[in-house]
Amino acid sequence: MPEDTEVPRHMIAHTAHGLPVMAHDEDGWCVAVDPTRMNCTIYAQRPGVCRAFQMGSRDCRDVREAYFHRYDEAELPPE
Ligand code: SF4
Protein backbone atom coordinates (compact mmCIF):
# COMPACT_ATOMS: atom_id res chain seq x y z
CA MET A 1 0.00 0.00 0.00
CA PRO A 2 1.21 3.58 -0.57
CA GLU A 3 1.63 4.12 3.17
CA ASP A 4 4.01 1.15 3.42
CA THR A 5 7.10 3.26 2.86
CA GLU A 6 9.30 1.56 5.44
CA VAL A 7 9.33 -1.94 3.89
CA PRO A 8 12.85 -2.68 2.56
CA ARG A 9 12.71 -2.53 -1.24
CA HIS A 10 14.73 -5.72 -1.72
CA MET A 11 11.93 -7.63 0.05
CA ILE A 12 9.24 -6.44 -2.36
CA ALA A 13 8.09 -8.41 -5.43
CA HIS A 14 5.35 -7.63 -7.92
CA THR A 15 2.43 -9.73 -9.02
CA ALA A 16 1.68 -10.38 -12.70
CA HIS A 17 -0.63 -7.36 -12.44
CA GLY A 18 2.13 -5.16 -11.05
CA LEU A 19 0.93 -5.04 -7.46
CA PRO A 20 3.70 -4.82 -4.89
CA VAL A 21 3.71 -7.68 -2.38
CA MET A 22 6.17 -9.15 0.07
CA ALA A 23 8.56 -11.44 -1.81
CA HIS A 24 8.49 -15.15 -1.00
CA ASP A 25 11.32 -17.65 -0.75
CA GLU A 26 11.39 -21.00 -2.57
CA ASP A 27 9.27 -22.58 0.16
CA GLY A 28 6.60 -19.91 -0.17
CA TRP A 29 7.44 -18.11 3.05
CA CYS A 30 7.64 -14.35 3.25
CA VAL A 31 11.28 -13.34 2.86
CA ALA A 32 11.08 -11.35 6.08
CA VAL A 33 10.51 -14.46 8.20
CA ASP A 34 13.51 -15.63 10.20
CA PRO A 35 13.01 -19.41 9.79
CA THR A 36 15.01 -20.35 12.85
CA ARG A 37 13.17 -18.06 15.24
CA MET A 38 9.89 -17.88 13.29
CA ASN A 39 9.56 -14.17 13.72
CA CYS A 40 9.41 -11.13 11.49
CA THR A 41 12.80 -9.53 10.85
CA ILE A 42 11.20 -6.23 9.84
CA TYR A 43 8.53 -6.10 12.51
CA ALA A 44 8.73 -2.33 13.04
CA GLN A 45 8.65 -1.77 9.26
CA ARG A 46 6.11 -4.47 8.33
CA PRO A 47 3.31 -3.60 5.87
CA GLY A 48 -0.09 -2.41 6.98
CA VAL A 49 -1.72 -5.69 5.96
CA CYS A 50 0.54 -7.48 8.45
CA ARG A 51 -0.32 -4.94 11.16
CA ALA A 52 -4.02 -5.53 10.52
CA PHE A 53 -3.68 -9.32 10.78
CA GLN A 54 -4.70 -10.12 14.34
CA MET A 55 -3.05 -13.02 16.12
CA GLY A 56 -5.68 -15.48 17.29
CA SER A 57 -8.28 -14.14 14.84
CA ARG A 58 -10.38 -16.45 12.69
CA ASP A 59 -8.00 -15.94 9.74
CA CYS A 60 -5.02 -16.67 11.97
CA ARG A 61 -6.57 -19.90 13.28
CA ASP A 62 -7.54 -20.97 9.73
CA VAL A 63 -3.96 -20.51 8.51
CA ARG A 64 -2.58 -22.39 11.51
CA GLU A 65 -5.04 -25.23 10.91
CA ALA A 66 -4.08 -25.45 7.23
CA TYR A 67 -0.38 -25.45 8.19
CA PHE A 68 -0.95 -28.19 10.77
CA HIS A 69 -2.61 -30.41 8.14
CA ARG A 70 -0.31 -29.48 5.23
CA TYR A 71 0.99 -33.04 4.76
CA ASP A 72 -2.22 -34.94 5.46
CA GLU A 73 -2.80 -35.74 1.77
CA ALA A 74 0.86 -36.37 0.92
CA GLU A 75 1.94 -39.87 0.01
CA LEU A 76 4.51 -41.23 2.40
CA PRO A 77 7.44 -43.27 1.04
CA PRO A 78 7.24 -47.07 1.71
CA GLU A 79 9.12 -48.22 4.80
S1 SF4 B 1 4.67 -9.85 9.54
FE1 SF4 B 1 4.44 -9.52 7.33
S2 SF4 B 1 6.47 -8.84 6.66
FE2 SF4 B 1 6.73 -9.77 8.65
S3 SF4 B 1 7.25 -11.93 8.22
FE3 SF4 B 1 5.02 -11.83 8.51
S4 SF4 B 1 4.20 -11.59 6.44
FE4 SF4 B 1 6.38 -11.04 6.35
Side-chain angles (χ1 to χ4, degrees), residues 7 11 22-24 29-34 38-51 53:
V7 178
M11 293 184 170
M22 290 301 297
H24 293 83
W29 291 83
C30 172
V31 294
V33 171
D34 176 340
M38 293 307 290
N39 65 354
C40 178
T41 59
I42 60 164
Y43 191 76
Q45 302 148 295
R46 69 196 187 284
V49 67
C50 300
R51 295 173 188 276
F53 192 88

Side-chain angles (χ1 to χ4, degrees), residues 52-63:
F53 192 88
Q54 295 189 351
M55 192 180 304
S57 67
R58 179 62 183 261
D59 285 343
C60 179
R61 288 184 311 224
D62 287 350
V63 170

